[in-house]
Amino acid sequence: MTRGFFVGRFQPFHDGHREVVEHVAEEVDELVLGIGSADVSHTVHDPFTAGERVVMVTKAVDDVDVPTYVVPIEDIDRNALWVSHIESMAPAFDVAYSNNPLVARLFREADIEVRNPPMFDRDRFEGTGIRHQMLVGDEWVDHVPDAVVDVVEEVDGVERIRTVAEDDGGDRWEAEEE
Ligand code: NAD
């Protein structure tokens, strides 16, 4: 039995993330999805709470062929301890999937196999761009699963991003990096 682990901030969970899940589901028997930066919300970079993201992700992958578990993972100050921190929270896993260089490095240094999933239409499916589309009123719903649209609407998420962007003085957006 092989259990895979895929972590992301999922701000929001988009169709590229969903494609990764489908790809990983062909290689593993079970999948753990880690909601990274679970302690962070209500900023332009991280607008949605861990609970909101748990609902988004759980509903967006409910038709995937393998059992899938969604686990919130808070950030910690020490990168060197982050993998141990994950292991203390998540079901045991055999292989981690990531294209984030720091994430891949930390898993490899902990002797955990890392696989790099393909990138899917990164021009369209990219968190920073989708949040910017929400902020300025551009079309974004075609870039995320329907379940994500439902959660964003339920929590008035577009208005939340606009409010926190104003609170940041309007210049935070330019400073954002992902
Ligand atoms: P993300 O939501 O931006 O991306 C998640 C994954 O999806 C990444 O591997 C990314 O490469 C992939 N992806 C994005 N768009 C894609 C597309 N179109 N097609 C295919 N794949 C795509 O999240 P992230 O920033 O990579 O998440 C890492 C998390 O780990 C963060 O929450 C970070 O804070 C956390 N972290 C914490 C520590 C610590 O606490 N010390 C250390 C390292 C990482």
Side-chain angles (χ1 to χ4, degrees), residues 6-12 14-17 19-20 34-38 45-46 53 73-82 85-86 97-103 106 117-127 131 178:
F6 178 48
V7 65
R9 290 175 23 253
F10 303 138
Q11 291 282 10
H14 57 60
D15 286 340
H17 298 135
E19 293 270 7
V20 172
I35 306 281
S37 306
H45 189 248
D46 291 280
R53 287 176 281 157
I73 308 284
E74 294 182 9
D75 286 341
I76 59 168
D77 274 342
R78 290 198 214 179
N79 283 338
L81 293 180
W82 184 63
H85 169 63
I86 290 171
Y97 289 81
S98 183
N99 282 313
N100 178 315
L102 172 63
V103 168
L106 293 175
M119 293 302 279
F120 297 96
D121 202 347
R122 184 71 173 155
D123 287 344
R124 291 174 63 221
F125 304 145
E126 196 252 336
R131 294 191 301 277
E178 185 172 47

Side-chain angles (χ1 to χ4, degrees), residues 13-150:
F13 189 85
H14 57 60
D15 286 340
H17 298 135
R18 162 79 203 196
E19 293 270 7
V20 172
V21 168
E22 288 177 26
H23 168 87
V24 174
E26 291 175 9
E27 298 187 353
V28 299
D29 302 299
E30 294 195 351
L31 175 59
V32 181
L33 295 173
I35 306 281
S37 306
D39 46 327
V40 185
S41 70
H42 293 79
T43 69
V44 174
H45 189 248
D46 291 280
F48 303 110
T49 68
E52 289 160 357
R53 287 176 281 157
V54 165
V55 176
M56 286 179 191
V57 175
T58 304
K59 289 189 173 175
V61 304
D62 70 350
D63 59 340
V64 169
D65 283 342
V66 300
T68 303
Y69 312 101
V70 182
V71 181
I73 308 284
E74 294 182 9
D75 286 341
I76 59 168
D77 274 342
R78 290 198 214 179
N79 283 338
L81 293 180
W82 184 63
V83 172
S84 302
H85 169 63
I86 290 171
E87 289 173 327
S88 77
M89 306 282 294
F93 54 91
D94 309 287
V95 53
Y97 289 81
S98 183
N99 282 313
N100 178 315
L102 172 63
V103 168
R105 171 112 202 155
L106 293 175
F107 279 120
R108 287 200 174 103
E109 288 188 6
D111 291 327
I112 292 169
E113 181 190 351
V114 176
R115 296 180 195 162
N116 300 113
M119 293 302 279
F120 297 96
D121 202 347
R122 184 71 173 155
D123 287 344
R124 291 174 63 221
F125 304 145
E126 196 252 336
T128 303
I130 291 170
R131 294 191 301 277
H132 188 254
Q133 286 154 353
M134 291 175 172
L135 180 71
V136 301
D138 280 352
E139 182 280 323
W140 58 274
V141 296
D142 284 353
H143 300 172
V144 302
D146 291 345
V148 173
V149 177
D150 290 346

